[in-house]
Amino acid sequence: MGYYDDFDTKPKKNKGNLGTWIAVSLVSALIGSATTVVLVPTMIKSNVIETKSAFADNGTTSGSKETVNVNIQTGVVEAVNKVKPAVVGVLNLQKSRDFFGRSSDEQMAGTGSGILFDDKGHIITNNHVVEGADTVEVSLQDGKRIKAKVLGADAMTDLAVLEVDPNDVKNITPAKFGNSESLNIGEPAIAIGNPLGLKFAQSVTVGVISATKREMPIYDEAGNEVFSQNVLQTDAAINPGNSGGALVNIKGELIGINSAKISSTGVEGIGFAIPINEADPILQQLMEKGEIVRPVMGISPVALTEVPEGYRGEVPVESGLYVYEAHENAKKAGIEAGDVIVKIDGEAVEDPIQLRKILYKKKPGDKIKVEFYRDKELKTVEMTLAKPE
């Protein structure tokens, strides 16, 4: 879900010598380590398929399922009319520098889409649409361009919130949020955005919800998978420039933020959007704090399956999280290096990605129950999650 990203299954690592294992362990030190890892949703290159983001380069709440009966043709038109005015263009302007380090005038580095979602001038878009921008502008339905401030952005979820002067958008009805948890596979899905830039502003494509709860791997700059983002899959055409645009249901409600597609010879109609139910709490935090503060346990974990048998001690399990290093917060709770964590709040954990998915639903200060083995002895402790250092 990054800028012209590649998407494929990451090659399996060889279970090599201790030096290799330690290197893997240090990469896994993201959780609870004092080391800050810059997370960007960058996909590993593959000879099989390639995922392109929907960012146009210029060269540089749970609920039950619903049954909706509607005339599709009329319903699509009505849904588009509700949301289309709230879909805007987002322009990423950057300064370039010459050989002597002198900066030039700002030039458009790329364009994406965004959605006005309240009457206070707040606009949703993707992080990768505004990443690296010196200035961000928003293009309205009538072609007017206005300055926008980036209130906050989160590379992990690829979301960002912009703010414009409310007076500039007072005549636009904000998009209404739907419920992405109540979607039925096969129901209509409408994508609205700016494919290939402002020349095709507010283009509409129509398809269906192809699948829900797909998993999109997210990698760090070193190519290590660090998280897994839940996304909606649709066959509504998503093209460069659609990033940050609206995925809408037949009732004209916003159900997803368009983000990426699989682009490869012989592959058509596989696009992805961030579900609005998952995006909403992120947006609220970005507006309030300007960033997402995720909790840490205070450990450097590695999957037990990656640990050579000679270093596992006498643990009676084959899977879990080996604590390569315990930091201050974990030590307070009684967790030590060499322990093997098997459950968090009753949920089994086998690798760092599973652990992050559990922790990132919580906040610093929350308490969790940790079950772990120290050699053959099963122990249980309660600990308080901390803020990252």
Side-chain angles (χ1 to χ4, degrees):
M1 290 188 290
Y3 180 71
Y4 280 84
D5 296 322
D6 299 328
F7 171 63
D8 192 19
T9 304
K10 186 171 178 287
K12 293 183 178 179
K13 299 175 183 176
N14 292 323
K15 298 182 182 178
N17 56 28
L18 179 59
T20 301
W21 169 65
I22 290 177
V24 173
S25 303
L26 291 177
V27 169
S28 298
L30 170 68
I31 302 177
S33 171
T35 304
T36 300
V37 179
V38 179
L39 297 173
V40 290
T42 305
M43 309 305 179
I44 299 299
K45 289 185 178 180
S46 167
N47 293 324
V48 181
I49 59 174
E50 177 185 34
T51 295
K52 289 189 177 181
S53 79
F55 178 44
D57 179 18
N58 290 324
T60 55
T61 318
S62 65
S64 58
K65 299 290 184 180
E66 299 180 71
T67 300
V68 179
N69 297 314
V70 67
N71 180 304
I72 296 299
Q73 185 174 359
T74 302
V76 168
V77 173
E78 292 177 351
V80 169
N81 288 338
K82 285 181 183 178
V83 181
K84 189 177 178 183
V87 178
V88 301
V90 178
L91 288 68
N92 182 320
L93 305 177
Q94 299 181 16
K95 293 179 180 178
S96 60
R97 295 186 179 275
D98 62 18
F99 178 79
F100 300 100
R102 297 172 298 192
S103 63
S104 63
D105 294 336
E106 291 179 334
Q107 298 180 351
M108 190 160 62
T111 60
S113 305
I115 309 139
L116 180 72
F117 65 96
D118 65 19
D119 58 5
K120 298 178 182 179
H122 293 134
I123 293 169
I124 315 168
T125 190
N126 286 141
N127 170 72
H128 72 262
V129 170
V130 297
E131 190 173 27
D134 293 302
T135 300
V136 175
E137 291 184 354
V138 165
S139 176
L140 304 179
Q141 186 177 30
D142 60 5
K144 180 181 178 181
R145 284 168 59 166
I146 58 178
K147 290 287 181 68
K149 175 184 178 182
V150 179
L151 279 186
D154 181 48
M156 179 74 81
T157 56
D158 197 22
L159 290 169
V161 177
L162 311 180
E163 184 178 59
V164 298
D165 187 334
N167 291 320
D168 288 329
V169 291
K170 63 183 179 180
N171 296 321
I172 300 175
T173 301
K176 178 182 177 182
F177 285 8
N179 183 358
S180 55
E181 287 294 323
S182 68
L183 295 173
N184 293 292
I185 295 174
E187 74 171 82
I190 307 162
I192 309 175
N194 307 305
L196 307 182
L198 300 181
K199 182 178 180 180
F200 298 102
Q202 294 191 315
S203 291
V204 176
T205 56
V206 180
V208 298
I209 297 296
S210 304
T212 60
K213 300 187 183 303
R214 291 294 196 212
E215 294 291 326
M216 178 79 76
I218 296 175
Y219 298 89
D220 64 13
E221 291 176 321
N224 301 290
E225 186 178 348
V226 295
F227 196 56
S228 181
Q229 171 76 42
N230 180 35
V231 291
L232 303 172
Q233 180 185 330
T234 180
D235 66 342
I238 307 292
N239 291 291
N242 275 117
S243 270
L247 190 68
V248 180
N249 64 16
I250 199 68
K251 295 190 291 185
E253 298 170 334
L254 184 64
I255 54 172
I257 314 301
N258 297 324
S259 185
K261 66 176 291 186
I262 291 180
S263 179
S264 181
T265 303
V267 178
E268 294 292 340
I270 303 181
F272 301 102
I274 303 166
I276 198 62
N277 287 39
E278 297 199 8
D280 190 18
I282 300 297
L283 302 175
Q284 299 304 320
Q285 289 186 61
L286 291 177
M287 287 189 289
E288 293 170 8
K289 302 177 181 179
E291 62 179 346
I292 305 300
V293 180
R294 295 183 169 91
V296 296
M297 289 179 63
I299 63 171
S300 298
V302 62
L304 183 62
T305 54
E306 298 283 350
V307 181
E309 290 188 11
Y311 295 89
R312 297 184 186 185
E314 299 180 43
V315 293
V317 291
E318 295 298 324
S319 62
L321 278 178
Y322 183 91
V323 179
Y324 172 71
E325 187 176 358
H327 305 285
E328 183 179 357
N329 191 62
K331 288 179 179 178
K332 281 184 191 177
I335 297 174
E336 301 177 359
D339 290 343
V340 176
I341 298 171
V342 291
K343 289 185 179 180
I344 303 289
D345 284 344
E347 186 174 346
V349 286
E350 297 183 359
D351 58 50
I353 294 174
Q354 287 181 322
L355 178 58
R356 292 183 189 107
K357 296 195 79 168
I358 294 172
L359 295 185
Y360 291 174
K361 295 176 184 178
K362 303 180 184 296
K363 60 183 183 298
D366 286 351
K367 294 184 182 299
I368 59 172
K369 185 174 74 171
V370 184
E371 297 176 52
F372 62 93
Y373 280 97
R374 182 168 297 160
D375 288 325
K376 295 180 180 180
E377 183 181 2
L378 180 63
K379 294 176 173 285
T380 300
V381 298
E382 183 180 76
M383 69 179 301
T384 302
L385 296 174
K387 290 183 179 180
E389 297 180 5

